[in-house]
Amino acid sequence: MPQTDLARVLYGSPLSRPKNAVVAVIILVVLLLISTSALFRGYFVALSPAAFQVFTLSFLAVSLVTLFPLAILWFLDRREPESRWLYLIAVLWGALIATGLALPINNMIFKSLGEFAALHS
């Protein structure tokens, strides 16, 4: 392999190529949907309609707030801009990690709080 081909392979992120980025986005969306469905089955089935409405409004508000750091990153990266795919992958990866890690941690915390409340009531 000539030196120029080796340099081309080592330069830049493979995710900056649209073909690879689309595959990564599809995989992350599928994993996020699986994680979210587990969250829905575990928590949201038992919520009242009013509580579900509060959750939905909170989720929308947090989604809007997330746009500000993304806009700041986009502005700071204006000299050597990354692909928009990389921003989408970063947001999806954060959402996947947040839902995937939050579920067992929340289960543990809510179980402990329930036991504490039952013991001290």
Side-chain angles (χ1 to χ4, degrees):
M1 177 159 46
Q3 183 65 24
T4 57
D5 291 339
L6 178 63
R8 190 176 311 135
V9 168
L10 296 176
Y11 181 74
S13 169
L15 293 177
S16 64
R17 296 183 195 110
K19 181 180 175 183
N20 296 342
V22 169
V23 171
V25 166
I26 290 171
I27 290 170
L28 287 173
V29 166
V30 168
L31 290 174
L32 184 62
L33 289 174
I34 291 169
S35 180
T36 305
S37 70
L39 190 65
F40 268 98
R41 279 185 275 128
Y43 289 113
F44 300 135
V45 174
L47 288 180
S48 68
F52 187 74
Q53 182 181 11
V54 168
F55 170 78
T56 305
L57 290 174
S58 301
F59 179 76
L60 291 174
V62 167
S63 297
L64 287 175
V65 170
T66 304
L67 295 177
F68 291 114
L70 281 174
I72 291 169
L73 285 175
W74 196 313
F75 175 75
L76 292 174
D77 198 32
R78 68 188 181 276
R79 305 233 188 260
E80 294 180 31
E82 297 296 334
S83 166
R84 290 183 179 145
W85 288 106
L86 291 177
Y87 287 104
L88 182 60
I89 290 170
V91 169
L92 288 173
W93 179 252
L96 178 67
I97 293 299
T99 56
L101 291 178
L103 186 60
I105 293 171
N106 285 342
N107 282 339
M108 181 182 65
I109 290 171
F110 288 142
K111 182 180 176 187
S112 300
L113 288 175
E115 291 170 357
F116 180 81
L119 184 66
H120 291 86
S121 60

